[in-house]
Amino acid sequence: MHSFTIPVIALAAIAVIPSVSAHGYVSGVTSGGKKTTMTGPNWIYQSTKPQDAGWFAYNQDNGFVAPSEYGDQNITCHKGATPGTTSITVAAGSTLDLTWNTWPDSHHGPIIDYLARCSGDCSKQDKSQLNFFKIDAGGLVDGSSAPGKWATDTILANDFTWKVKIPSNLSGNFVLRHEIIALHSAGNADGAQSYPQCINLKVTGSGTARPCDSGAECRKGPALYKADAPGILINIYTTLTSYSMPGPKIWGSLKKRAISFVA
Protein backbone atom coordinates (compact mmCIF):
# COMPACT_ATOMS: atom_id res chain seq x y z
CA MET A 1 0.00 0.00 0.00
CA HIS A 2 1.21 3.49 -0.80
CA SER A 3 0.64 6.64 1.26
CA PHE A 4 0.20 9.92 -0.56
CA THR A 5 -0.53 13.60 -0.18
CA ILE A 6 -3.39 15.17 -2.12
CA PRO A 7 -1.90 17.72 -4.54
CA VAL A 8 -3.50 20.97 -5.66
CA ILE A 9 -4.78 19.44 -8.93
CA ALA A 10 -6.85 16.91 -6.98
CA LEU A 11 -8.30 19.51 -4.64
CA ALA A 12 -9.36 21.56 -7.64
CA ALA A 13 -11.00 18.51 -9.23
CA ILE A 14 -12.88 17.61 -6.05
CA ALA A 15 -14.20 21.15 -5.79
CA VAL A 16 -16.09 20.91 -9.09
CA ILE A 17 -17.48 17.38 -8.89
CA PRO A 18 -21.20 18.36 -9.09
CA SER A 19 -20.79 20.20 -12.41
CA VAL A 20 -19.89 17.17 -14.52
CA SER A 21 -20.82 14.21 -12.36
CA ALA A 22 -22.92 12.64 -15.16
CA HIS A 23 -19.76 11.49 -16.92
CA GLY A 24 -18.48 8.06 -16.00
CA TYR A 25 -15.46 5.84 -15.53
CA VAL A 26 -14.63 2.15 -15.78
CA SER A 27 -16.01 0.64 -12.57
CA GLY A 28 -15.47 -3.04 -13.34
CA VAL A 29 -13.43 -5.40 -15.51
CA THR A 30 -14.45 -9.00 -16.15
CA SER A 31 -11.79 -11.49 -17.26
CA GLY A 32 -12.39 -15.23 -17.52
CA GLY A 33 -15.72 -14.88 -15.76
CA LYS A 34 -14.18 -13.07 -12.78
CA LYS A 35 -15.23 -9.47 -12.22
CA THR A 36 -12.80 -7.03 -10.62
CA THR A 37 -14.28 -3.89 -9.12
CA MET A 38 -12.32 -0.76 -9.93
CA THR A 39 -11.95 2.09 -7.45
CA GLY A 40 -11.92 4.74 -10.16
CA PRO A 41 -11.71 8.40 -9.12
CA ASN A 42 -12.79 7.51 -5.59
CA TRP A 43 -9.25 6.37 -4.73
CA ILE A 44 -8.49 9.93 -3.65
CA TYR A 45 -10.74 9.60 -0.59
CA GLN A 46 -8.68 6.74 0.89
CA SER A 47 -5.72 7.25 3.17
CA THR A 48 -3.57 4.91 1.07
CA LYS A 49 -3.75 3.93 -2.56
CA PRO A 50 -5.89 0.78 -2.85
CA GLN A 51 -4.85 -2.45 -4.53
CA ASP A 52 -6.24 -1.64 -7.93
CA ALA A 53 -5.19 -2.39 -11.51
CA GLY A 54 -6.62 0.91 -12.70
CA TRP A 55 -4.32 3.90 -12.95
CA PHE A 56 -4.91 6.62 -10.38
CA ALA A 57 -5.86 9.90 -12.04
CA TYR A 58 -7.07 13.26 -10.81
CA ASN A 59 -10.41 13.05 -12.59
CA GLN A 60 -12.57 13.24 -9.49
CA ASP A 61 -14.81 15.61 -11.44
CA ASN A 62 -15.32 12.77 -13.97
CA GLY A 63 -13.99 15.30 -16.45
CA PHE A 64 -12.15 15.00 -19.73
CA VAL A 65 -8.92 15.79 -21.52
CA ALA A 66 -9.42 18.50 -24.14
CA PRO A 67 -7.66 18.58 -27.54
CA SER A 68 -5.55 21.50 -26.31
CA GLU A 69 -3.93 18.97 -23.93
CA TYR A 70 -3.25 16.29 -26.54
CA GLY A 71 0.41 17.22 -26.63
CA ASP A 72 1.08 16.49 -22.94
CA GLN A 73 0.96 13.45 -20.69
CA ASN A 74 -2.59 14.05 -19.45
CA ILE A 75 -3.90 12.36 -22.59
CA THR A 76 -1.93 9.18 -21.84
CA CYS A 77 -3.96 7.84 -18.90
CA HIS A 78 -5.94 10.94 -17.84
CA LYS A 79 -4.94 13.89 -15.69
CA GLY A 80 -1.88 13.39 -13.50
CA ALA A 81 -2.23 9.60 -13.74
CA THR A 82 0.09 7.25 -11.86
CA PRO A 83 0.28 3.44 -12.24
CA GLY A 84 -2.18 1.01 -10.75
CA THR A 85 -0.78 -1.07 -7.91
CA THR A 86 -1.84 -4.49 -9.25
CA SER A 87 -2.69 -6.18 -12.55
CA ILE A 88 -5.66 -8.13 -13.91
CA THR A 89 -4.78 -11.51 -15.39
CA VAL A 90 -6.24 -12.18 -18.83
CA ALA A 91 -5.60 -15.05 -21.23
CA ALA A 92 -4.32 -14.10 -24.67
CA GLY A 93 -7.10 -14.45 -27.22
CA SER A 94 -9.85 -13.96 -24.64
CA THR A 95 -12.28 -11.08 -24.25
CA LEU A 96 -12.43 -8.50 -21.50
CA ASP A 97 -15.66 -6.86 -20.42
CA LEU A 98 -15.11 -3.23 -19.47
CA THR A 99 -18.07 -1.83 -17.54
CA TRP A 100 -18.60 1.88 -16.98
CA ASN A 101 -20.57 3.10 -13.98
CA THR A 102 -22.61 5.37 -16.30
CA TRP A 103 -22.43 7.30 -19.54
CA PRO A 104 -24.64 10.19 -20.77
CA ASP A 105 -26.68 9.40 -23.88
CA SER A 106 -25.91 12.81 -25.37
CA HIS A 107 -22.17 12.11 -25.51
CA HIS A 108 -21.82 10.32 -28.84
CA GLY A 109 -18.49 9.16 -30.20
CA PRO A 110 -15.93 6.41 -30.75
CA ILE A 111 -14.52 3.92 -28.27
CA ILE A 112 -10.87 2.99 -28.81
CA ASP A 113 -8.56 0.45 -27.15
CA TYR A 114 -4.76 0.35 -27.13
CA LEU A 115 -2.10 -1.78 -25.50
CA ALA A 116 1.43 -0.81 -24.48
CA ARG A 117 4.01 -3.25 -23.16
CA CYS A 118 5.40 -2.40 -19.74
CA SER A 119 9.16 -2.28 -19.34
CA GLY A 120 8.80 -4.58 -16.32
CA ASP A 121 6.30 -4.38 -13.49
CA CYS A 122 3.41 -2.20 -14.70
CA SER A 123 2.97 -0.80 -11.19
CA LYS A 124 6.33 0.93 -11.65
CA GLN A 125 5.85 1.99 -15.26
CA ASP A 126 6.87 5.46 -16.46
CA LYS A 127 3.86 6.57 -18.52
CA SER A 128 6.03 8.72 -20.79
CA GLN A 129 7.68 5.50 -22.03
CA LEU A 130 4.47 3.68 -22.91
CA ASN A 131 4.30 3.01 -26.65
CA PHE A 132 0.71 2.26 -27.64
CA PHE A 133 -0.62 0.16 -30.51
CA LYS A 134 -4.32 0.10 -31.32
CA ILE A 135 -6.14 -3.22 -30.95
CA ASP A 136 -9.78 -2.21 -31.32
CA ALA A 137 -11.99 0.71 -32.36
CA GLY A 138 -15.68 1.33 -32.87
CA GLY A 139 -16.96 4.59 -34.32
CA LEU A 140 -19.91 5.64 -36.43
CA VAL A 141 -22.40 2.84 -37.04
CA ASP A 142 -25.23 4.71 -38.76
CA GLY A 143 -24.99 8.35 -39.81
CA SER A 144 -28.24 8.57 -41.74
CA SER A 145 -29.96 10.59 -39.04
CA ALA A 146 -27.99 13.15 -37.02
CA PRO A 147 -26.28 12.82 -34.63
CA GLY A 148 -26.11 9.18 -35.72
CA LYS A 149 -25.55 5.92 -33.86
CA TRP A 150 -22.07 5.48 -32.41
CA ALA A 151 -20.00 3.04 -30.42
CA THR A 152 -21.13 4.85 -27.28
CA ASP A 153 -24.70 3.78 -28.03
CA THR A 154 -23.46 0.20 -27.79
CA ILE A 155 -22.48 0.52 -24.15
CA LEU A 156 -25.80 2.24 -23.38
CA ALA A 157 -27.61 -0.75 -24.89
CA ASN A 158 -25.43 -3.29 -23.07
CA ASP A 159 -25.47 -2.22 -19.43
CA PHE A 160 -22.58 0.22 -19.96
CA THR A 161 -20.30 -2.66 -21.01
CA TRP A 162 -17.77 -2.74 -23.85
CA LYS A 163 -16.02 -5.91 -24.98
CA VAL A 164 -12.43 -5.97 -26.23
CA LYS A 165 -10.49 -9.01 -27.43
CA ILE A 166 -6.86 -9.38 -26.38
CA PRO A 167 -4.66 -10.52 -29.30
CA SER A 168 -3.83 -14.22 -29.14
CA ASN A 169 -0.15 -13.80 -30.03
CA LEU A 170 0.81 -11.65 -27.02
CA SER A 171 2.00 -12.42 -23.52
CA GLY A 172 3.50 -10.35 -20.72
CA ASN A 173 2.71 -7.17 -18.84
CA PHE A 174 0.71 -4.50 -20.62
CA VAL A 175 -1.20 -1.31 -19.97
CA LEU A 176 -4.63 -1.29 -21.61
CA ARG A 177 -5.65 2.22 -22.63
CA HIS A 178 -9.45 2.29 -23.02
CA GLU A 179 -10.99 5.54 -24.19
CA ILE A 180 -14.24 7.21 -25.14
CA ILE A 181 -14.04 10.39 -27.20
CA ALA A 182 -17.27 12.39 -26.87
CA LEU A 183 -18.05 14.45 -29.98
CA HIS A 184 -21.22 16.32 -28.99
CA SER A 185 -19.29 19.62 -28.93
CA ALA A 186 -16.59 18.65 -31.44
CA GLY A 187 -17.89 21.00 -34.13
CA ASN A 188 -16.00 23.72 -32.28
CA ALA A 189 -12.23 23.93 -31.90
CA ASP A 190 -11.13 22.24 -28.64
CA GLY A 191 -14.64 20.84 -28.27
CA ALA A 192 -13.97 17.08 -28.36
CA GLN A 193 -13.75 15.37 -24.97
CA SER A 194 -11.36 12.44 -24.35
CA TYR A 195 -11.94 10.10 -21.41
CA PRO A 196 -8.90 7.79 -21.28
CA GLN A 197 -8.71 5.01 -18.68
CA CYS A 198 -5.61 2.86 -18.14
CA ILE A 199 -5.60 -0.62 -16.61
CA ASN A 200 -2.66 -2.93 -15.89
CA LEU A 201 -2.94 -6.38 -17.46
CA LYS A 202 -0.94 -9.58 -17.12
CA VAL A 203 -1.52 -11.42 -20.41
CA THR A 204 -0.93 -15.15 -20.10
CA GLY A 205 -0.05 -17.47 -22.96
CA SER A 206 2.85 -18.38 -25.19
CA GLY A 207 2.64 -15.49 -27.64
CA THR A 208 5.90 -13.80 -28.55
CA ALA A 209 4.70 -10.97 -30.79
CA ARG A 210 6.38 -7.60 -30.38
CA PRO A 211 4.05 -5.29 -32.31
CA CYS A 212 6.17 -2.15 -32.06
CA ASP A 213 9.16 -4.07 -33.45
CA SER A 214 7.23 -5.65 -36.31
CA GLY A 215 5.33 -3.03 -38.22
CA ALA A 216 2.68 -1.79 -35.80
CA GLU A 217 1.99 1.94 -35.83
CA CYS A 218 3.02 2.63 -32.23
CA ARG A 219 2.80 6.02 -30.56
CA LYS A 220 3.43 7.59 -27.19
CA GLY A 221 0.39 9.15 -25.54
CA PRO A 222 1.06 12.77 -26.57
CA ALA A 223 1.45 11.69 -30.20
CA LEU A 224 -1.83 9.75 -30.49
CA TYR A 225 -4.01 12.58 -31.77
CA LYS A 226 -3.99 16.03 -33.32
CA ALA A 227 -6.56 18.61 -32.29
CA ASP A 228 -7.54 19.35 -35.88
CA ALA A 229 -7.76 15.74 -37.08
CA PRO A 230 -11.00 15.02 -38.98
CA GLY A 231 -12.17 12.54 -36.34
CA ILE A 232 -11.59 15.09 -33.54
CA LEU A 233 -12.84 18.33 -35.10
CA ILE A 234 -16.18 17.25 -36.54
CA ASN A 235 -19.82 18.33 -36.55
CA ILE A 236 -21.91 15.24 -35.82
CA TYR A 237 -25.18 17.16 -36.18
CA THR A 238 -25.15 16.71 -39.95
CA THR A 239 -25.74 13.59 -42.03
CA LEU A 240 -22.52 11.58 -42.03
CA THR A 241 -21.59 8.85 -44.49
CA SER A 242 -18.25 7.99 -42.88
CA TYR A 243 -16.03 8.75 -39.93
CA SER A 244 -12.24 9.03 -39.81
CA MET A 245 -11.09 7.11 -36.73
CA PRO A 246 -8.55 9.12 -34.70
CA GLY A 247 -5.11 7.72 -33.95
CA PRO A 248 -3.00 5.02 -35.59
CA LYS A 249 -4.28 2.08 -37.59
CA ILE A 250 -5.39 -1.09 -35.83
CA TRP A 251 -2.46 -3.46 -35.47
CA GLY A 252 -2.03 -6.44 -37.76
CA SER A 253 -4.94 -8.57 -38.85
CA LEU A 254 -7.30 -7.18 -36.22
CA LYS A 255 -10.26 -5.53 -37.90
CA LYS A 256 -12.65 -2.75 -36.99
CA ARG A 257 -15.43 -4.38 -35.04
CA ALA A 258 -18.91 -4.91 -36.39
CA ILE A 259 -21.24 -3.26 -33.90
CA SER A 260 -24.80 -4.42 -33.36
CA PHE A 261 -27.43 -2.65 -31.32
CA VAL A 262 -29.94 -4.03 -28.88
CA ALA A 263 -33.42 -2.75 -29.72
Side-chain angles (χ1 to χ4, degrees):
M1 303 289 276
H2 305 272
S3 61
F4 60 94
T5 301
I6 299 177
V8 173
I9 187 174
L11 296 175
I14 293 170
V16 296
I17 284 174
S19 65
V20 289
S21 59
H23 304 148
Y25 60 90
V26 175
S27 59
V29 178
T30 301
S31 172
K34 179 182 178 181
K35 184 173 182 178
T36 300
T37 299
M38 313 296 286
T39 308
N42 296 319
W43 70 270
I44 198 69
Y45 304 112
Q46 302 187 26
S47 59
T48 57
K49 281 185 176 179
Q51 293 295 296
D52 199 313
W55 282 49
F56 303 105
Y58 295 106
N59 58 327
Q60 282 67 41
D61 59 350
N62 281 330
F64 56 88
V65 179
S68 57
E69 298 178 89
Y70 282 177
D72 66 39
Q73 287 296 336
N74 280 341
I75 191 60
T76 302
C77 292
H78 221 315
K79 296 181 178 180
T82 55
T85 49
T86 62
S87 293
I88 292 173
T89 299
V90 54
S94 68
T95 298
L96 284 176
D97 286 1
L98 305 171
T99 301
W100 289 66
N101 68 320
T102 189
W103 189 254
D105 59 9
S106 61
H107 286 35
H108 305 284
I111 302 179
I112 309 175
D113 294 287
Y114 300 85
L115 286 174
R117 187 179 292 275
C118 295
S119 56
D121 184 343
C122 289
S123 69
K124 300 176 182 178
Q125 179 64 43
D126 178 352
K127 64 186 173 186
S128 70
Q129 299 305 306
L130 289 171
N131 211 12
F132 292 100
F133 56 96
K134 185 184 289 182
I135 62 168
D136 183 58
L140 179 67
V141 177
D142 182 356
S144 61
S145 178
K149 288 185 177 180
W150 293 82
T152 47
D153 294 293
T154 301
I155 63 171
L156 292 176
N158 291 284
D159 296 324
F160 303 111
T161 297
W162 179 256
K163 295 180 180 292
V164 58
K165 185 175 182 179
I166 303 302
S168 60
N169 52 353
L170 297 177
S171 64
N173 297 326
F174 291 87
V175 171
L176 171 69
R177 183 182 183 277
H178 171 69
E179 176 182 32
I180 296 178
I181 303 178
L183 301 175
H184 57 290
S185 297
N188 301 313
D190 210 34
Q193 300 179 359
S194 288
Y195 296 83
Q197 313 265 298
C198 285
I199 301 163
N200 294 340
L201 300 180
K202 181 178 180 60
V203 179
T204 61
S206 57
T208 58
R210 295 273 175 169
C212 294
D213 298 332
S214 56
E217 189 178 345
C218 296
R219 299 183 190 177
K220 302 290 180 60
L224 286 174
Y225 309 127
K226 293 185 177 180
D228 60 353
I232 298 295
L233 183 59
I234 180 175
N235 178 11
I236 65 171
Y237 299 101
T238 60
T239 300
L240 299 173
T241 58
S242 63
Y243 174 69
S244 180
M245 187 66 66
K249 295 178 181 178
I250 294 177
W251 170 52
S253 61
L254 298 173
K255 304 296 183 182
K256 179 180 176 181
R257 64 170 60 215
I259 298 177
S260 60
F261 286 85
V262 177

